Amino acid sequence: DLRPHAKRLVRVTSELLEEWRKLSGGDETPVDETPLLHPITNTEQGAIIALANSRERLSDYSPSITRGLDEANAKKDGHIRYTVGQPESWEEVILQGTHFAIGSPFAKQPNLPMRNGKDWAPWDLVTLAPDPIPRTTYARACARDTFELAQDYWDGSPHTERYRLAWRRMIDPKNTERSLFAALIPPGPTHVHAVHSMALSDNRKTVLNAGFWASLPLDYLLRITGRADLQIAEAHKMPAPSADHPLSAPLLLRTLRLNSMTSAYADLWNELFHPTWPNYEDWASPHWLNIPPLTSELDPFWTQKTPFRTEYERRAALVEIDALVSVWLGITADQLATIYKSRYAVLHDREAAMYFDARGRRVAADPYAYGYGQTKQDYVDLLAHLDAPDSVPPPVGYSAPFYKADRETEMRAAHAHFQ
C-alpha cells in the first residue's frame, strides 16, 4: 500500500530510543547507539514497549544450546555424507530446517528419489503412523562412537539425549508468511548448523519456550529488529516464560498437542500431562465451528489421539497461542491486531481466501496455502458450492459445512478469554 498516511511517520526521540534499547535485554548500549527498529506505523509502538518490558529473557534460564554439525567441516572430517535415504532410528536422523515448521516436527521430508534441493513432500498428519522416522539427505559416515564424540555434551551427556526446541537459524523478516520456525524434537537426532537447538533445566521449561517461539509476538520481535540470523547470542535475548505463570497450563497443553505427533514424544507427554486438563481446559475462542474437544478425550499416557492432527485443529491451536502469549507479555488485543495487519500481509492475504471443511481439511486460493491433497480446482468448486449450497455439491473429498478463517476475530476472542 503506497498511499501516504500520518501513522507512517515515526518520530525517533531519545525517549523512544530508551524504549527500543530494552529489546536487547540490557542497558549496556548508549542510548544514541541504539539499533533502529523497523516499524511500519507508529501504532506498533504499544506492542514494541510490551516486548521491551518483558521481565524475563531466555538468558535468565541459562539454556543449553548447540549449533549442531557444520555441514562443510563435518563432511570434510568424515562424520557425515550426502545421501538421501531412510534412517533406521531417530539416532541416525540428521535434521535440516525443512524437516520442521511452526510447532510441527513433521512438516516435510525429502522425496525418494530426490530430483533437486526443493523436492520435499509434506506429511499427512491425519494418517501419520505412531512411530515414523523421517527421510534425510545426510547420513552418518563414521563409527557411532566417533560420531557421538563430535557432538556437544550437556552436563556430561550427549545433547541428543534430551527433548529440545529446534529452530531454523536463518530468518527472512520481510515478504514471507512467518519468520520464526521452531518445533520440539525428540531425543536421538542431530542436525546441521543451519538449525540450532536448545534445552532448559527441565522439560516443562523447554516446552513452554517452544510455545513462546510458536507465537506471533516473538515472530514479530524478529521482524521489528530486522534480525536475519538467530544464533545463540540473539536467542538469549528472546522473552521467556516462567513456569509458574497462570497461563502456563493452557500454553503447555496446546504446545504439547501440536508437537507430540508420535510415540517418540510419549515420555514427554506422560511426564507433563496434568490430570486437571480434561475437566478444566477448553478452547478459548467460541468461534471455532465443528472442532473436536480440546481435552475431554485425552489420556494421561500418549495415544494416537494425543496430537492435533487436522489442519483446522492445528491452526486453531496456533491462533490461540498467539493470543495467549500476547496476554502473557502485556500486548493488548488492539496491539496484536495492529502487528498482524501491519507486518503479516502475506499471512493475511492467504487466510483471506481460506476455508476448513467439517473434517478439518484446509482448502485455500493461494497455492502456497493449499491444504494437504488439495488441487487448484478444489477451491473453484468450493466457491461454486458456497454460492449455491442447495444445488452444487462440495468439492470431491470435502464435507460441508465450511468454516471461514478470520484470524483477527479469532485472536480477539481468545485474547479476551485468556485475559
Side-chain angles (χ1 to χ4, degrees):
D1 189 345
L2 301 179
R3 292 172 296 175
H5 198 289
K7 290 184 178 179
R8 291 186 176 170
L9 297 176
V10 179
R11 183 173 178 81
V12 181
T13 64
S14 296
E15 291 74 21
L16 187 63
L17 289 178
E18 284 274 11
E19 297 290 347
W20 288 3
R21 184 174 64 165
K22 295 178 184 177
L23 279 179
S24 65
D27 299 324
E28 297 83 7
T29 304
V31 172
D32 58 358
E33 295 179 16
T34 301
L36 290 178
L37 302 185
H38 306 277
I40 292 177
T41 71
N42 56 34
T43 56
E44 298 176 48
Q45 185 58 23
I48 294 173
I49 291 175
L51 288 165
N53 290 334
S54 176
R55 291 179 295 177
E56 296 178 303
R57 305 283 171 164
L58 188 61
S59 58
D60 296 332
Y61 293 90
S62 302
S64 299
I65 302 179
T66 180
R67 297 177 62 254
L69 297 162
D70 182 284
E71 290 180 65
N73 290 334
K75 285 188 285 188
K76 183 178 67 175
D77 295 339
H79 294 143
I80 63 174
R81 68 179 186 275
Y82 180 84
T83 179
V84 181
Q86 180 67 63
E88 295 183 355
S89 67
W90 275 109
E91 287 72 20
E92 298 297 328
V93 170
I94 301 173
L95 292 171
Q96 295 172 267
T98 313
H99 277 108
F100 58 88
I102 302 168
S104 178
F106 289 86
K108 294 182 179 182
Q109 64 175 342
N111 285 313
L112 192 64
M114 188 178 179
R115 296 167 296 179
N116 55 63
K118 295 184 178 181
D119 191 17
W120 292 63
W123 291 85
D124 180 1
L125 300 183
V126 173
T127 62
L128 189 68
D131 55 356
I133 305 295
R135 288 192 292 271
T136 62
T137 64
Y138 284 113
R140 175 170 58 86
C142 59
R144 164 55 61 179
D145 56 351
T146 302
F147 187 69
E148 290 181 352
L149 288 173
Q151 308 297 316
D152 286 336
Y153 275 62
W154 296 340
D155 299 326
S157 301
H159 76 277
T160 54
E161 294 181 358
R162 303 279 297 277
Y163 286 100
R164 287 157 285 155
L165 172 58
W167 71 91
R168 300 182 194 174
R169 210 188 81 200
M170 303 308 296
I171 303 296
D172 187 343
K174 295 181 180 179
N175 299 318
T176 56
E177 183 172 303
R178 293 286 288 266
S179 296
L180 177 57
F181 292 84
L184 288 169
I185 59 175
T190 54
H191 53 77
V192 295
H193 74 288
V195 173
H196 280 25
S197 66
M198 69 174 172
L200 280 79
S201 59
D202 60 61
N203 286 331
R204 181 183 177 88
K205 293 187 180 73
T206 301
V207 174
L208 286 173
N209 275 276
F212 258 46
W213 285 46
S215 72
L216 204 66
L218 266 69
D219 193 292
Y220 171 72
L221 175 59
L222 299 184
R223 294 200 170 190
I224 200 68
T225 54
R227 293 175 186 168
D229 193 352
L230 187 58
Q231 298 199 60
I232 296 174
E234 295 301 313
H236 278 153
K237 300 175 184 178
M238 298 286 271
S242 57
D244 58 352
H245 192 279
L247 291 175
S248 61
L251 179 60
L252 194 73
L253 168 63
R254 287 161 176 79
T255 306
L256 281 173
R257 293 202 66 190
L258 281 167
N259 287 273
S260 301
M261 293 302 304
T262 70
S263 59
Y265 296 83
D267 290 343
L268 185 67
W269 175 263
N270 301 346
E271 174 192 343
L272 297 179
F273 177 88
H274 200 281
T276 64
W277 286 349
N279 296 315
Y280 184 73
E281 295 294 343
D282 203 352
W283 291 106
S285 172
H287 297 286
W288 307 127
L289 176 68
N290 295 327
I291 198 166
L294 180 63
T295 58
S296 61
E297 298 178 358
L298 293 181
D299 293 317
F301 298 99
W302 189 93
T303 72
Q304 285 281 73
K305 294 182 179 180
T306 297
F308 293 126
R309 295 194 177 278
T310 69
E311 294 161 310
Y312 182 31
E313 290 176 293
R314 296 186 66 79
R315 177 183 173 277
L318 287 170
V319 169
E320 294 201 350
I321 286 176
D322 293 343
L324 186 155
V325 174
S326 296
V327 173
W328 193 313
L329 294 173
I331 297 173
T332 68
D334 287 343
Q335 292 164 355
L336 176 59
T338 293
I339 64 176
Y340 167 58
K341 289 185 288 187
S342 65
R343 303 306 297 237
Y344 294 90
V346 175
L347 177 60
H348 178 275
D349 290 348
R350 288 177 180 172
E351 293 196 344
M354 180 182 292
Y355 293 81
F356 296 87
D357 83 340
R359 294 185 296 171
R361 293 189 64 190
R362 184 176 67 219
V363 55
D366 190 311
Y368 290 99
Y370 280 0
Y372 183 84
Q374 181 193 338
T375 67
K376 181 178 180 179
Q377 187 62 34
D378 289 334
Y379 189 77
V380 177
D381 294 343
L382 171 62
L383 294 184
H385 166 72
L386 294 177
D387 285 340
D390 295 332
S391 57
V392 179
V396 175
Y398 295 86
S399 303
F402 289 85
Y403 173 81
K404 175 69 178 65
D406 183 355
R407 182 174 287 260
E408 182 176 350
T409 299
E410 296 155 357
M411 289 193 303
R412 286 184 179 276
H415 192 285
H417 172 84
F418 291 122
Q419 188 68 57

